[in-house]
Amino acid sequence: MATVLDDIISGVREDLKTRMRAIGPVQIIEQAAAAPAALDAAAMLAAPGPVKIISEVKRKSPSKGELATIPDPAELAGSYEAGGATAISVLTEQRRFGGSLDDLDAVRERVRIPLLRKDFMVSEYQMFEARAHGADIILLIVAALDDRQLHDLFQQSADLGMTALVEVHDEHETERAVELGARVIGVNARNLKTLEVHREMFGKLAHLIPDDCVKVAESGIRGPEDIAYYVSQGADAALVGEALVTGGEPSQAVRTMIEAGARARQGVA
């Protein structure tokens, strides 16, 4: 039986074919080569200091449906940056998340911090596409890739100067990410095959991730209290979408989360 993840990837592949007919592989490679060099997002996420917040431009999701209209993604991203976000995540998957590469372009023009192309990466073309549109970080979902695909796309991200955020959800996936040599590993509390959220998953998997890796908490973050919880479990960073696009003042919301993380870190220390 097909899972939610299977259905999403099927749609991603169909949309990818359409884009490839419009812009061929040779052209997208040329565009990627002409783009300014990627920022070293891994170093920024690993830098000493408060918990790092990756703030997301997210219109909707398969689990919650419509979240926010976001008429101006660049303005929202600018507010995130002003609030102290370390990086901006932009959804580019269109069917389930309402995103686009146009959103990525608009945000790239506005902010000077690292930019994550948040999508379901399954091909080399998408990697060049991400770089051509100014992404510094790409998402590799271990559950969506076999070992060869994961290795090849991870290597390609390095060749293009981008940071790979390697996403896991269980013990086996975490082992695969560590063996890969990932520097930034995200633990998604949401199982993409069922859409169920288990916030305790981060704590269960964090000890399997080497301390020299950046440990990113993903999903299930409703506010500052969840940031504090994840930091107490060893999170270095958090990817936050829904709570920021639905919570009112995004700049202040980011600041509040950073402050909550700082207090939690002091308590652990």
Side-chain angles (χ1 to χ4, degrees), residues 245-261:
V245 299
T246 63
E249 173 48 52
S251 182
Q252 183 56 46
V254 173
R255 290 191 193 96
T256 300
M257 289 182 180
I258 293 171
E259 290 166 359

Side-chain angles (χ1 to χ4, degrees), residues 55-67:
S55 302
E56 196 155 79
V57 176
K58 184 177 186 178
R59 290 188 170 87
K60 63 181 183 178
S61 74
S63 61
K64 296 291 183 67
E66 297 290 340
L67 297 173

Side-chain angles (χ1 to χ4, degrees), residues 17-148:
K17 290 177 183 178
T18 299
R19 295 198 306 277
M20 290 180 71
R21 285 194 291 269
I23 301 176
V26 172
Q27 188 177 356
I28 202 68
I29 290 171
E30 291 174 345
Q31 290 179 3
L39 299 171
D40 188 350
M44 296 181 189
L45 290 168
V51 63
K52 309 303 190 294
I53 301 296
I54 305 171
S55 302
E56 196 155 79
V57 176
K58 184 177 186 178
R59 290 188 170 87
K60 63 181 183 178
S61 74
S63 61
K64 296 291 183 67
E66 297 290 340
L67 297 173
T69 55
I70 311 182
D72 190 342
E75 181 180 1
L76 177 59
S79 295
Y80 289 155
E81 184 176 32
T86 297
I88 306 295
S89 169
V90 179
L91 266 303
T92 60
E93 196 281 332
Q94 63 187 54
R95 298 189 182 207
R96 298 294 190 100
F97 293 88
S100 70
L101 288 166
D102 288 341
D103 286 349
L104 195 67
D105 290 337
V107 173
R108 179 72 290 166
E109 285 293 319
R110 178 63 176 268
V111 305
R112 296 295 174 261
I113 56 178
L115 190 58
L116 163 65
R117 180 191 181 179
K118 183 84 174 291
D119 211 320
F120 297 78
M121 310 298 279
V122 294
S123 78
E124 291 185 354
Y125 182 95
Q126 290 170 292
M127 305 289 282
F128 287 112
E129 193 176 48
R131 189 77 281 278
H133 288 268
D136 308 290
I137 315 169
I138 52 88
L139 180 70
L140 297 181
I141 302 172
V142 174
L145 303 166
D146 62 31
D147 285 342
R148 174 53 65 88

Side-chain angles (χ1 to χ4, degrees), residues 136-264:
D136 308 290
I137 315 169
I138 52 88
L139 180 70
L140 297 181
I141 302 172
V142 174
L145 303 166
D146 62 31
D147 285 342
R148 174 53 65 88
Q149 291 172 319
L150 182 61
H151 175 274
D152 289 351
L153 294 180
F154 180 75
Q155 184 59 54
Q156 188 184 3
S157 69
D159 292 344
L160 289 170
M162 294 188 292
T163 294
L165 169 55
V166 181
E167 181 178 292
V168 303
H169 181 72
D170 61 25
E171 290 83 353
H172 179 60
E173 292 174 11
T174 305
E175 290 170 0
R176 290 176 64 196
V178 172
E179 290 174 3
L180 185 68
R183 295 176 61 196
V184 182
I185 298 178
V187 176
N188 196 342
R190 187 181 303 282
N191 184 333
L192 292 178
K193 296 179 180 180
T194 65
L195 300 184
E196 295 175 344
V197 174
H198 302 282
R199 290 181 179 81
E200 72 279 5
M201 190 57 66
F202 184 89
K204 291 182 177 179
L205 301 181
H207 72 282
L208 300 176
I209 302 172
D211 289 339
D212 60 354
C213 293
V214 176
K215 303 175 185 181
V216 184
E218 302 177 24
S219 293
I221 298 173
R222 300 158 296 188
E225 66 283 351
D226 288 317
I227 295 291
Y229 168 74
Y230 281 131
V231 168
S232 74
Q233 298 295 304
D236 303 301
L239 176 61
V240 189
E242 179 183 344
L244 291 177
V245 299
T246 63
E249 173 48 52
S251 182
Q252 183 56 46
V254 173
R255 290 191 193 96
T256 300
M257 289 182 180
I258 293 171
E259 290 166 359
R263 290 192 297 270

